[in-house]
Amino acid sequence: IDTATNTSSTHSRQARLQGNFAAQPTPFEAHLRRYKARKAREDAFTSALDQVFASPGYERWATEPLLFWAPLLALCMGIRASEATRIAVEDVVECDGVACITLREGSNLHLEDLQSTRSRRRFTKHSKIPVPQSLLDAGFMDYVTPVAQKGEKQLFPCDGQRSADQRTAWLRARFARHLRSLGIGSGGFPELRRSYAWRLHSAEVS
């Protein structure tokens, strides 16, 4: 039995060397292939961004403020869909004359739901991201001001009873359908955020 096994193993090695069996990629080669495939999809998505946000089609699709601003916030500031649905009016602040959006870690939690001291400390952590000129030129602060004047707590108020998680799922689904209507089969908020990260990297912004 050992002789037969050794003979079979030798024949298998010889067959692979002769190209009779397709060589299995190494883990590095498999990772490289996946990276190249993902990069190709991202490059294709990035090249289609002008089409995604082109007027007047984008305005016709974005029938409410959340739909209009959330993808732009992802593209220009790297804000997640789940973060956009939870931005409060008080999170839009001015720092040294610069408009910023405060993103609070754990902002999807309610204060009354936080039991431990550790959770409370985590809730108070936050970061301020400057609003870029492109969004200011698009009228972002012109949108924020009347919302604040109305006394709304959320930047993108919801008339219905949907939770933030439900609104996030709805937002992602609506944007994915918008992309498909333009012939873009793959892509979404993660690709918008990666495009933002790539532009920061290209500009050598850390």
Side-chain angles (χ1 to χ4, degrees), residues 27-195:
F28 174 76
E29 289 172 338
H31 173 76
L32 185 61
R33 290 179 184 178
R34 289 194 298 270
Y35 169 79
K36 287 182 176 179
R38 189 185 72 183
K39 188 66 169 60
R41 291 195 300 269
E42 291 177 0
D43 289 345
F45 181 77
T46 300
S47 65
L49 285 178
D50 287 344
Q51 180 186 6
V52 173
F53 294 100
S55 297
Y58 184 71
E59 288 85 349
R60 283 199 298 263
W61 168 77
T63 54
E64 64 175 81
L66 179 62
L67 290 178
F68 181 85
W69 289 111
L72 291 173
L73 291 172
L75 177 67
C76 300
M77 298 180 68
I79 294 178
R80 297 176 175 86
S82 58
E83 293 169 333
T85 57
R86 293 175 169 88
I87 297 174
V89 171
E90 66 179 6
D91 291 334
V92 183
V93 298
E94 184 175 303
C95 300
D96 298 324
V98 178
C100 299
I101 294 179
T102 304
L103 294 182
R104 304 176 188 278
E105 184 178 344
S107 58
N108 57 325
L109 303 175
H110 295 292
L111 280 172
E112 59 268 23
D113 294 335
L114 302 177
Q115 301 296 327
S116 67
T117 303
R118 182 178 179 184
S119 295
R120 289 189 179 93
R121 284 201 302 269
R122 186 170 66 248
F123 184 90
T124 60
K125 292 181 181 178
H126 60 273
S127 58
K128 291 181 175 64
I129 305 177
V131 179
Q133 190 62 44
S134 57
L135 289 185
L136 296 177
D137 292 342
F140 180 71
M141 294 308 298
D142 293 334
Y143 166 75
V144 174
T145 300
V147 174
Q149 290 174 343
K150 289 179 182 178
E152 299 284 359
K153 293 183 177 180
Q154 293 302 117
L155 185 59
F156 303 111
C158 178
D159 294 334
Q161 300 299 316
R162 288 177 296 182
S163 67
D165 286 338
Q166 290 172 329
R167 294 192 79 198
T168 298
W170 172 82
L171 171 61
R172 289 171 176 158
R174 283 289 300 270
F175 187 63
R177 286 201 296 271
H178 176 55
L179 295 178
R180 288 196 297 271
S181 72
L182 299 173
I184 303 172
S186 62
F189 276 84
E191 284 71 24
L192 291 176
R193 297 183 65 246
R194 278 194 283 267
S195 174

